[in-house]
Amino acid sequence: MKRAVAGCGMVLVAAALNVLLTPAARADCTEELRIMRNMLADVKDESRRQELQRLLEKAEKDERAGRDQLCDQAVQRAQLLLKKPPTRPDKIPGKGFTNPRRRAIVSLPSTRGGAGRPVRGNPGTMKLSVAKERRAQERRVAASPDTVKRLVGMGLEVVVESGAGAGSAFTDDAYKTAGAEIAGDAASALGAGDIVLKVQRPLRGGDGGVDELSLMKRGATLIGLLSPLQHRDDVEAYAKAGITTFAMELVPRITRAQAMDVLSSQANLAGYRAVLDAASEFGRAFPMMMTAAGTIPPTRVLVMGAGVAGLQAIATARRLGAVVSATDVRLAAKEQVESLGASFLTVDVEAMKAMETAGGYAKEMGEDFARRQREHVTEALRKIDIVICTALIPGRKAPVLITRDMVGVMRPGSVIVDLAVEQGGNVEGSAFGETVTTANGVAIIGHANVPSRIAVDASQLYAKNLLSFLGLIIDKEKHLKIDMADEIVKATLLTRDGAVVHPQLSAAPASAAGA
Ligand SMILES: NC(=O)c1ccc[n+]([C@@H]2O[C@H](COP(=O)([O-])OP(=O)(O)OC[C@H]3O[C@@H](n4cnc5c(N)ncnc54)[C@H](O)[C@@H]3O)[C@@H](O)[C@H]2O)c1
């Protein structure tokens, strides 16, 4: 575990520098190879099996040698071969038709409200459904045309609600071309899924509008950002409805789970977007400019909290030409900050050594440390133009790092972005979903759902995170396989067989998630 956390620092910095976008794709390729290898035994035709075997061996060899493109090509050829209509009779007893031309029109089994509308499909194949997100300010979607293509290539059926990708610029036609079936409404999309992929937790009766949970069939599996620690009543409702649920924000931060780490993929983009939001509110340029009309000094940016979002904010502000400093309670962050070319604002080295949990997260700071941090930061703020706040403590309210008095020392026209506003905020006076201008002319930005403000990329990465996760819970026969011996499965599973099974949900509400 220690090694994973230590290695992670490098991972975070590399991600901030954008040199690490390929490993997720690599992990997908590895996952597909694993699934296809498992499917080999099902291929009855000897010559086809041999050809597949040859392609998979080639893909593995290319992958080991780092020939990513060749590996992808071999995987794609193997997928095509798997999809080719079989020459033998195409009905497998108990599994239905494997040849798409002989697919039946079936009425989906449903024990719950309104979901039994006819959907084209193969009765033996597991169906994944992707519904339109209906919560306010949510533009993301849980599958992209790219991930749909990969899922269909693995032999799964995918149903996408019409318009689900609109907020992320993915059209119904793009999903159709990727092999999805388009469902006309929420009932037919949500009711079709053996596995339902969502970004946000489903709406329930009390939320107004469509009751998404009631449209899902009993026995279905739901995967999404379900905020289980904040919405325990929802978790009870999933159990009562007989839905198996996985919360993606609980994926442990271990090396093996990096390709499924939604917190990192979304925070990375949020850190980037926060700097752009600040830049568009700020009335000055970021880089130093020497012109005939005079010299413009560079903008000074302070980043508070140097985790995934903070490191990306540092890298983005540096790319724009700002002079950047940062602070964190974890001493491990110092080296990462400095490796990005920013300076680190140290409060107390000895105290900081004890501020990190075994899982790599921050502990809550004591009052003495908080006071000294405020003193250091107040001095810095007199010369700072932009502050990006990203500090969080897993499972708890965000720490207040900038008080009203501290905002008071900043110059008019300065900008603060409070990325922690949804968890209570790092800045006194920030407001969820609003930009507030203080009496001394400082703008405090509290945008809701920042990853959704960069929805195309956020959806692409989230969809890839889900694709990797699905590889963990779908077996070679394409059935759901819940292996409780697997650390990632165990950490994310909330409900099963009508009961809440996650240990943290039976603990006291204040228990931390990231210890
Ligand atoms: N193994 C992996 O693949 C992996 C991937 C991502 C992250 N991680 C681990 O998770 C850690 C946290 O990442 P995150 O971005 O999700 O964290 P986070 O979102 O929980 O917090 C953001 C940052 O705020 C800092 N913070 C908290 N209280 C603070 C305070 N009072 N003052 C200043 N800063 C404060 C935290 O130390 C953290 O760096 C990483 O540093 C890393 O160790 C591991």
Side-chain angles (χ1 to χ4, degrees):
M1 182 69 179
K2 271 220 166 93
R3 255 177 58 205
V5 172
C8 168
M10 293 305 295
V11 168
L12 296 180
V13 176
L17 286 167
N18 279 355
V19 294
L20 202 78
L21 288 181
T22 44
R26 291 291 78 242
D28 296 341
C29 182
T30 312
E31 197 48 46
E32 277 170 40
L33 273 173
R34 188 183 69 76
I35 290 171
M36 281 196 284
R37 227 180 292 117
N38 287 339
M39 287 164 76
L40 257 185
D42 294 343
V43 180
K44 300 281 179 271
D45 183 303
E46 182 58 29
S47 63
R48 191 190 292 198
R49 192 171 58 245
Q50 277 177 11
E51 176 61 4
L52 264 173
Q53 176 94 39
R54 192 189 67 73
L55 282 169
L56 295 184
E57 275 167 15
K58 178 174 172 354
E60 280 163 357
K61 208 162 137 198
D62 286 335
E63 192 182 38
R64 276 197 300 275
R67 295 187 292 261
D68 299 349
Q69 224 176 343
L70 291 177
C71 172
D72 288 342
Q73 279 169 9
V75 167
Q76 275 164 19
R77 281 170 59 199
Q79 281 175 344
L80 281 177
L81 200 65
L82 271 172
K83 276 201 285 186
K84 233 166 119 181
T87 45
R88 65 192 161 84
D90 57 1
K91 180 142 190 255
I92 301 173
K95 290 199 173 180
F97 293 101
T98 55
N99 184 340
R101 279 173 294 190
R102 299 214 35 203
R103 278 179 186 166
I105 301 277
V106 292
S107 194
L108 289 163
S110 171
T111 55
R112 313 190 77 235
R117 298 173 59 143
V119 173
R120 289 183 75 81
N122 178 346
T125 310
M126 172 133 70
K127 287 186 189 65
L128 272 72
S129 65
V130 181
K132 195 154 66 186
E133 296 295 321
R134 291 182 158 74
R135 289 195 181 269
Q137 283 146 335
E138 187 52 81
R139 299 171 61 81
R140 292 170 294 175
V141 60
S144 63
D146 177 44
T147 60
V148 166
K149 192 169 162 202
R150 286 162 186 258
L151 291 165
V152 172
M154 289 176 197
L156 300 161
E157 287 185 13
V158 184
V159 180
V160 178
E161 183 181 348
S162 178
S168 296
F170 305 144
T171 61
D172 286 356
D173 278 349
Y175 283 116
K176 231 191 274 181
T177 307
E181 184 182 338
I182 304 300
D185 55 23
S188 40
L190 287 163
D194 300 307
I195 296 182
V196 175
L197 304 179
K198 290 269 295 139
V199 178
Q200 299 236 9
R201 67 204 160 86
L203 292 166
R204 287 168 58 204
D207 294 323
V210 180
D211 184 343
E212 294 173 324
L213 182 61
S214 75
L215 296 176
M216 292 170 56
K217 59 183 176 183
R218 202 171 182 85
T221 296
L222 166 68
I223 308 172
L225 289 166
L226 304 180
S227 306
L229 300 173
Q230 293 77 20
H231 298 282
R232 290 172 185 225
D233 52 335
D234 281 354
V235 180
E236 294 290 342
Y238 306 144
K240 213 166 145 202
I243 310 283
T244 298
T245 46
F246 290 96
M248 289 301 290
E249 56 271 77
L250 299 185
V251 167
R253 310 305 268 287
I254 55 172
T255 308
R256 184 168 65 90
Q258 267 174 19
M260 309 164 203
D261 185 352
V262 291
L263 293 183
S264 289
S265 74
Q266 305 301 293
N268 191 25
L269 291 170
Y272 164 81
R273 182 68 206 211
V275 175
L276 298 194
D277 283 338
S280 75
E281 184 71 33
F282 193 47
R284 288 178 35 209
F286 268 41
M288 183 169 93
M289 291 188 199
M290 295 169 87
T291 76
T295 300
I296 296 174
T299 291
R300 293 185 174 271
V301 174
L302 171 66
V303 176
M304 300 204 64
V308 180
L311 290 175
Q312 183 56 254
I314 294 169
T316 305
R318 291 262 304 141
R319 278 189 211 114
L320 288 175
V323 172
V324 186
S325 54
T327 190
D328 200 294
V329 286
R330 294 177 301 109
L331 194 59
K334 183 175 188 292
E335 200 185 320
Q336 294 162 12
V337 165
E338 288 172 348
S339 73
L340 288 171
S343 55
F344 192 79
L345 204 153
T346 308
V347 177
D348 177 339
V349 173
E350 282 314 307
M352 287 167 79
K353 281 182 185 161
M355 295 291 270
E356 184 162 335
T357 66
Y361 286 103
K363 288 184 189 162
E364 221 163 0
M365 57 184 171
E367 188 36 50
D368 180 53
F369 187 93
R371 183 184 48 76
R372 279 184 291 155
Q373 188 191 56
R374 282 197 294 271
E375 285 166 10
H376 276 72
V377 173
T378 304
E379 273 322 296
L381 286 179
R382 296 182 198 282
K383 294 185 194 134
I384 291 290
D385 303 299
I386 287 176
V387 186
I388 309 287
C389 289
T390 75
L392 292 175
I393 308 285
R396 294 181 194 256
K397 196 176 165 300
V400 175
L401 304 182
I402 301 188
T403 62
R404 281 202 172 79
D405 288 349
M406 292 164 79
V407 177
V409 307
M410 294 181 76
R411 290 174 295 207
S414 302
V415 178
I416 303 176
V417 178
D418 192 353
L419 269 188
V421 71
E422 278 175 71
Q423 283 79 25
N426 290 151
V427 186
E428 260 181 16
S430 66
F432 179 71
E434 286 177 33
T435 298
V436 177
T437 304
T438 63
N440 62 323
V442 176
I444 307 175
I445 300 175
H447 285 313
N449 197 351
V450 177
S452 175
R453 294 171 60 74
I454 181 164
V456 179
D457 288 331
S459 297
Q460 293 274 18
L461 296 189
Y462 181 74
K464 286 233 174 118
N465 292 145
L466 290 193
L467 179 71
S468 300
F469 185 77
L470 285 168
L472 201 67
I473 59 165
I474 296 178
D475 69 11
K476 60 177 181 175
E477 275 89 31
K478 286 160 264 157
H479 294 142
L480 186 71
K481 174 197 71 176
I482 298 181
D483 176 7
M484 289 304 277
D486 187 297
E487 186 181 357
I488 304 170
V489 171
K490 199 171 157 195
T492 49
L493 183 66
L494 303 178
T495 59
R496 187 185 188 184
D497 300 331
V500 178
V501 296
H502 197 281
Q504 262 181 294
L505 295 167
S506 50
S511 71

